[in-house]
Amino acid sequence: MRDGEQTPGVALTTEEKLWIARKLDELGVDIIEAGSAITSKGERESIRAISAEGLNAEICSYCRIMKQDVDFALECNVDSIHLVAPVSDLHITARLKKDRETVRQMAVDITEYAKDHGLIVELSGEDASRADLTFLKSLYSDGIDAGADRICYCDTVGMLVPEKTTGIFRELSSALKAPVSVHCHDDFGLAVSNTIAALAAGAVEAHATINGIGERSGNASLEEMVMILEWLYQYDTGIKLEEIYKTSRLVSRLTGIAVAANKSLVGGNAFTHEAGIHVHGLLADTSTYEPIGPEVIGRERKIMLGKHAGKSSVTLALKELGLDVDDSQLDEILDRIKELGDHGKHVTDADLQTIAEAVLDIYRESKVKLEEFTVVSGNKVTPTASIKLNVGGKEVVEAGIGDGPVDAAISAIRKAVAGVGDIRLEEYHVDAITGGTDALVEVLVKLSKDGKIVTARGARTDIIMASVEAVLNGINHLI
Ligand code: MN
C-alpha cells in the first residue's frame, strides 16, 4: 500500500486505505506495508486505523534510518517497520551527501532503537542492485547483529535481470543469518521475473502491489507473482486465489489507475475470446486457449461477438449464459449479431442475452406474425403507422396514428389484433443496452387482456422495431 500509493496521482483517504487493507487481509497476504508514518498526520491516521482493525496480517510502516520516523511508526501501533537504508554510492554520496560508514552506523543504531521499542525490523537496502555487494553484505550482517529480523534487497529502479538475481540471492541467502526478502520495480518489465528468480534462489518473502502499481512503471504485481507460483511452480502461497480479481478491481477503482486491457490475468481481455477458430477450440475444451479457467481467480469467461461471429462462438457464448437454442433460433440470433457487427458494434454478454431472449420469445408458437410494417414521423406530420400481420393464417392490414411513431405503431397493432381480443398496453419501458445511438435497444412491455397480464421484450437496434417486436411477443403470450 505504501509503494502502490506512490503511484503518480494517487492519494487515498483513510476509509479507502481501510477498504484495501481489509481486502488484502482477506486475500491472505502476510504483511501489509500500510504507509509511511512520517509522511503526514492523515497518513498516520490511516496507518493507525489499519493497525486497530485487528487484521491477521502484520501491519508495517515504511521508515527511513531516522529516529523520528520510528517514533511516528510507534505512534501508529504498527507491528513492524520496513527500515530503508540507501546503499548505493549514488544514493549515499550524491543524494544524502554522506559516506558508507555513516549510513552503516545509522542503519545499526535505528535497528537497535526500533528493536528496543518492540518492533519487528525488516532492514532494506535501497538501490541495492547498484550497490557494492561486499559493502551491502556487511551492512546487512551488522543490521542482523543489531537485531534486524529480516533483510530486504531493493531493485529500486528495476535494473536486475533474472540470471543476475539468481546469483545475488543465492549468495545473500547462504551468507546471511536472517530471512531474505525481495523488492522489484518494473522499469524494464522484469519485476515479476526477477522476483520469481529471487524466490527460487533463496528469498522467502517478496514485495508486491496489486495490479503492479507503484512509482514510474510500478512494482512486481501480486496477481502475476502468485499465479506463476501457484500454477507454473505448483507452490502453495496461501493466497485466496478466487479473491484476486475482486481485489484488482477494488484497487483500480479506488486509485483511479485503470488496468491495461492486455494485462495478465486481471486485464479486461485476459479471458475474453473473439469469434473464430479459437472459440471453436474452446467449445471443445476451454483449456485449448486458456492456461487457467477464469473462475480460479474469481472471473468469468467472455465471448465477444462481432461481424465475424460464427455458429460455434455464438453457441459457446449462449452456453456460458445458460441458454439452449435450436438451429433456426441460432440462425436468427446470428443474423441479428451480424446486423450489429455491420454497424461496427461488438456484442457484449448483456446484448447477447437480450437478443437470445427476444428470439426465444419469437419462436414460441406465434399466432401473430409480422409481415410488413411502415411508419412515418417527422415535423408537421401526424405520426402514422401501417401494418400487415398474419393472424392465425389470415392477413390483416391496419393503420394507426399516435403521439409519436411508437404510439402509432402500437395503435395499428391493437387494431389488427382486435379480432383476437382487447389487448391493452399497460406499461412501456425502453433501455439502450450498451450506449450509443446505434446500440441495441431493449423494449419491455406489459400487456393485458381480460385481466391477464404478461411482460414481453423486444431487442433491436431500431427502437420502433424493438417496440413492435415486444408488443407482438406479448400478444402471442396472451393468446
Ligand atoms: Mn519501491
Side-chain angles (χ1 to χ4, degrees):
M1 289 182 69
R2 192 268 313 168
D3 220 331
E5 205 184 356
Q6 273 171 232
T7 303
V10 173
L12 301 167
T13 64
T14 295
E15 195 50 44
E16 290 168 335
K17 290 193 79 157
L18 261 174
W19 282 343
I20 295 175
R22 285 189 206 114
K23 192 70 202 169
L24 292 174
D25 196 56
E26 191 191 346
L27 187 64
V29 306
D30 300 299
I31 304 163
I32 297 173
E33 189 173 328
S36 172
I38 187 77
T39 308
S40 70
K41 197 161 157 271
E43 178 84 340
R44 284 192 285 285
E45 265 165 38
S46 301
I47 301 172
R48 210 174 297 131
I50 293 168
S51 299
E53 196 64 14
L55 303 175
N56 291 317
E58 172 187 314
I59 306 302
C60 173
S61 170
Y62 177 94
C63 285
R64 296 168 303 171
I65 38 172
M66 315 269 272
K67 192 168 160 289
Q68 52 168 337
D69 286 39
V70 178
D71 290 337
F72 276 126
L74 286 165
E75 269 184 35
C76 299
N77 306 315
V78 294
D79 303 304
S80 66
I81 57 168
H82 177 207
L83 181 62
V84 180
V87 289
S88 68
D89 289 334
L90 180 65
H91 278 252
I92 290 172
T93 52
R95 182 164 72 88
L96 289 184
K97 315 271 184 249
K98 291 189 173 19
D99 55 51
R100 288 181 182 183
E101 289 317 308
T102 310
V103 166
R104 180 207 301 274
Q105 199 52 54
M106 287 166 76
V108 166
D109 291 347
I110 302 301
T111 298
E112 276 171 359
Y113 181 73
K115 287 311 295 176
D116 285 346
H117 288 79
L119 290 165
I120 297 168
V121 175
E122 179 163 327
L123 177 61
S124 212
E126 184 182 15
D127 204 22
S129 47
R130 288 189 291 187
D132 175 73
L133 194 56
T134 310
F135 167 67
L136 183 64
K137 274 196 292 185
S138 74
L139 181 143
Y140 283 148
S141 290
D142 291 352
I144 293 165
D145 289 343
D149 300 272
R150 313 184 283 259
I151 67 101
C152 177
Y153 182 101
C154 296
D155 185 20
T156 302
V157 290
M159 293 179 71
L160 282 179
V161 292
E163 295 82 354
K164 190 178 170 196
T165 308
T166 301
I168 289 166
F169 280 82
R170 274 200 186 131
E171 193 169 338
L172 291 179
S173 59
S174 62
L176 300 171
K177 296 186 299 275
V180 179
S181 169
V182 59
H183 179 110
C184 291
H185 276 269
D186 210 30
D187 295 75
F188 286 93
L190 286 171
V192 172
S193 306
N194 291 331
T195 300
I196 299 291
L199 291 169
V204 295
E205 180 195 326
H207 292 200
T209 61
I210 302 296
N211 299 334
I213 61 172
E215 289 179 283
R216 306 183 312 281
S217 308
N219 291 64
S221 95
L222 182 136
E223 58 281 0
E224 290 174 17
M225 189 181 94
V226 166
M227 290 313 294
I228 289 168
L229 291 171
E230 293 268 353
W231 218 257
L232 306 180
Y233 286 85
Q234 287 84 47
Y235 180 86
D236 181 11
T237 59
I239 293 291
K240 255 197 217 159
L241 308 185
E242 66 277 14
E243 295 299 322
I244 285 180
Y245 186 60
K246 273 187 244 161
T247 312
S248 162
R249 295 314 308 151
L250 178 76
V251 169
S252 174
R253 211 164 59 237
L254 294 183
T255 58
I257 304 294
V259 173
N262 63 336
K263 173 93 164 64
S264 311
L265 304 157
V266 293
N269 288 348
F271 295 95
T272 301
H273 307 276
E274 181 142 7
I277 187 137
H278 284 197
V279 172
H280 190 77
L282 286 165
L283 193 57
D285 184 341
T286 51
S287 66
T288 49
Y289 291 103
E290 279 176 356
I292 64 168
E295 66 285 350
V296 175
I297 57 163
R299 294 195 69 167
E300 284 173 0
R301 177 176 304 114
K302 283 204 181 340
I303 309 295
M304 272 277 218
L305 304 166
K307 63 179 176 185
H308 304 297
K311 278 195 181 177
S312 33
S313 44
V314 176
T315 306
L316 179 63
L318 289 167
K319 213 171 106 189
E320 292 289 321
L321 293 173
L323 293 170
D324 258 338
V325 296
D326 64 27
D327 283 349
S328 58
Q329 290 165 341
L330 184 60
D331 286 340
E332 174 67 23
I333 292 169
L334 201 54
D335 281 349
R336 293 191 189 200
I337 290 167
K338 285 182 188 290
E339 195 184 312
L340 278 165
D342 286 339
H343 288 101
K345 280 273 168 189
H346 275 102
V347 176
T348 65
D349 289 4
D351 287 334
L352 180 66
Q353 176 119 26
T354 312
I355 291 172
E357 283 170 3
V359 169
L360 291 178
D361 263 344
I362 283 176
Y363 283 85
R364 226 183 278 267
E365 277 300 288
S366 342
K367 277 232 162 60
V368 179
K369 287 191 190 115
L370 181 66
E371 306 262 301
E372 283 171 22
F373 175 70
T374 317
V375 66
V376 181
S377 182
N379 187 22
K380 294 185 180 167
V381 175
T382 302
T384 309
S386 67
I387 196 157
K388 189 202 272 185
L389 295 180
N390 181 318
V391 182
K394 268 198 330 203
E395 268 182 13
V396 184
V397 182
E398 273 297 347
I401 57 164
D403 290 334
V406 172
D407 193 39
I410 289 167
S411 137
I413 295 171
R414 281 191 63 199
K415 285 197 212 166
V417 299
V420 292
D422 181 24
I423 289 162
R424 289 166 190 278
L425 177 66
E426 305 286 345
E427 271 180 46
Y428 174 86
H429 180 80
V430 58
D431 252 329
I433 305 295
T434 40
T437 52
D438 57 351
L440 188 68
V441 168
E442 181 183 44
V443 172
L444 276 168
V445 294
K446 202 180 260 182
L447 300 177
S448 71
K449 176 179 174 275
D450 310 325
K452 207 169 109 191
I453 292 178
V454 295
T455 354
R457 73 179 81 222
R460 296 275 180 171
T461 47
D462 178 325
I463 188 170
I464 301 166
M465 283 310 298
S467 306
V468 168
E469 181 174 283
V471 170
L472 289 178
N473 280 339
I475 288 171
N476 278 308
H477 282 242
L478 279 172
I479 61 174

